[in-house]
Amino acid sequence: MSLVEVFSSSYEPYKVYFKYMLHHRAWDNPLYVIPAICLLTFLLEVFLPKK
Amino acid sequence: MNYGVTSRKGFYLDLFYVIFFDYLILLIGFYAFTSTVEYFFKELLGVFGITKYILWDMQDVSFLIQFLVVFLLLDLLQFFGHFLFYRIDLLWKFHKIHPAQEELGFAFTRHFHWAEYLTFKPLLYLPFMTLNFSVSEFIAIYLWVGYGFTFFSHCNVRVPWKWMNYLLITPETHYWHHAKNRPEGRRYAVNFASTTTIWDHLFGLFYLPQEDTLSPDLGIDDQKNIPHTFIGQMIHPFKELFDTQKKKHSPQSVKKLKKK
């Protein structure tokens, strides 16, 4: 298989996984966890003294 | 209301990097890139007649051992890879857009070149493949063990983390990693680890001065050469590579080589 074929075939199961993630709101879903971590660290910077 | 966090130099560019890497690349393409690396690595092993690549089936051991092994292995790989990005000139050309910042902040965590992200991160999977972890399991491990913590270590907070500094990478220790003026006797940088300080201690790369007054300026030596736009930063390493090759093959350097 060529690099493009391998990449596109690897992509197929991920499309299904991504659709599942969009509808699955839970603590183990990075789609929602990443903004939560961003918000948490943003609040750390807001409320703790800065360098 | 302006809290001073968003007014930091380069904040909005950093925020764009977070969206670019965490949503456009990581969540959409990381699986496919890692699977592609897996496929070609298996093909490569096949060339040498190696079909059994699982060295230790981690699925058979308890969760606690799995967690400890995975945590320490991922931390070691990230530490070693990070060190190589400073040690090898070619890799440094791509990595230096990350430390070329004068102020730290949580959004700064994802300020990397795409070539570094899409080659280094999927390669981290290969040792996990020998432990019988699938690509999706690896991505889950990576997201939970090695990902969120880096947001914390890049935070711009002035808090004495005390004993925690000697166990975990805190904003205090990571601040010294980004120092422009390296501590005396240190050729590259210090505090390379991402989560724990174990590997820094073992390899003699841990550094934390006792007096806070030594707080350094952040950045790199050729800070002025790094562009301030996303496109400029993506092109910059390739431009540097092109310039290096051009210098190597210039008539003057060919003459010098012939003389030698």
Side-chain angles (χ1 to χ4, degrees):
Chain A
M1 278 205 283
S2 71
L3 183 71
V4 178
E5 281 171 331
V6 174
F7 188 84
S8 56
S9 65
S10 304
Y11 211 85
E12 284 309 312
Y14 198 75
K15 279 183 190 169
V16 179
Y17 176 56
F18 193 71
K19 271 182 193 166
Y20 164 75
M21 283 205 301
L22 275 174
H23 299 104
H24 174 68
R25 289 178 191 173
W27 67 272
D28 60 346
N29 185 345
L31 204 68
Y32 299 106
V33 167
I34 290 167
I37 293 171
C38 276
L39 183 68
L40 202 72
T41 46
F42 171 77
L43 293 174
L44 273 181
E45 281 192 26
V46 169
F47 292 110
L48 293 178
K50 280 176 270 299
K51 282 187 195 291
Chain B
M1 190 174 174
N2 186 359
Y3 295 101
V5 179
T6 54
S7 59
R8 179 176 64 79
K9 204 174 170 183
F11 173 78
Y12 291 102
L13 179 63
D14 288 346
L15 207 59
F16 175 75
Y17 270 97
V18 172
I19 295 162
F20 181 74
F21 280 123
D22 287 352
Y23 284 94
L24 296 179
I25 298 231
L26 179 88
L27 290 177
I28 297 170
F30 195 36
Y31 187 97
F33 277 98
T34 313
S35 301
T36 309
V37 166
E38 180 195 28
Y39 176 84
F40 282 102
F41 186 66
K42 281 180 182 171
E43 289 285 303
L44 184 72
L45 291 178
V47 170
F48 296 102
I50 303 166
T51 49
K52 286 180 182 174
Y53 49 83
I54 295 167
L55 301 175
W56 181 20
D57 192 348
M58 287 291 287
Q59 309 293 338
D60 294 340
V61 299
S62 69
F63 175 76
L64 187 68
I65 295 172
Q66 268 190 31
F67 178 79
L68 279 174
V69 171
V70 160
F71 184 80
L72 291 174
L73 178 64
L74 188 62
D75 204 33
L76 173 65
L77 292 170
Q78 297 214 103
F79 163 82
F80 188 60
H82 195 183
F83 180 73
L84 289 182
F85 274 104
Y86 277 77
R87 184 70 183 79
I88 298 170
D89 194 46
L90 172 71
L91 299 180
W92 172 246
K93 282 184 174 43
F94 288 90
H95 183 70
K96 69 179 170 189
I97 67 158
H98 179 66
Q101 306 296 322
E102 289 164 348
E103 292 167 13
L104 285 190
F106 76 98
F108 169 75
T109 316
R110 295 288 174 264
H111 199 126
F112 287 102
H113 195 278
W114 64 267
E116 175 181 342
Y117 224 75
L118 290 183
T119 51
F120 174 59
K121 306 290 179 196
L123 281 173
L124 291 178
Y125 168 63
L126 297 180
F128 288 91
M129 195 178 98
T130 67
L131 300 175
N132 200 18
F133 284 108
S134 67
V135 171
S136 45
E137 281 171 329
F138 164 72
I139 291 173
I141 291 164
Y142 178 69
L143 285 171
W144 293 111
V145 178
Y147 205 71
F149 202 82
T150 51
F151 274 101
F152 166 68
S153 60
H154 286 90
C155 263
N156 180 11
V157 288
R158 194 186 185 90
V159 175
W161 297 95
K162 296 180 180 172
W163 58 269
M164 267 178 72
N165 284 323
Y166 297 91
L167 287 176
L168 298 169
I169 292 294
T170 60
E172 213 171 351
T173 47
H174 203 65
Y175 196 73
W176 283 96
H177 172 71
H178 284 274
K180 194 173 191 174
N181 302 315
R182 289 178 291 275
E184 209 177 323
R186 307 295 177 116
R187 197 174 165 194
Y188 300 104
V190 291
N191 305 341
F192 285 92
S194 302
T195 316
T196 69
T197 55
I198 296 170
W199 308 112
D200 280 316
H201 284 299
L202 275 175
F203 291 95
L205 292 166
F206 181 80
Y207 179 78
L208 186 69
Q210 296 302 314
E211 290 176 40
D212 194 42
T213 49
L214 294 170
S215 285
D217 291 332
L218 306 184
I220 56 170
D221 295 338
D222 56 345
Q223 183 90 27
K224 285 177 187 169
N225 299 328
I226 307 292
H228 297 289
T229 61
F230 177 74
I231 300 291
Q233 288 176 357
M234 292 300 107
I235 295 168
H236 183 69
F238 296 106
K239 197 173 162 283
E240 272 202 338
L241 275 174
F242 180 73
D243 290 344
T244 316
Q245 289 302 316
K246 209 174 158 187
K247 272 182 195 168
K248 263 188 190 172
H249 297 101
S250 70
Q252 283 173 333
S253 56
V254 171
K255 268 184 193 176
K256 272 184 190 174
L257 279 172
K258 277 183 182 174
K259 275 182 188 176
K260 280 180 184 175

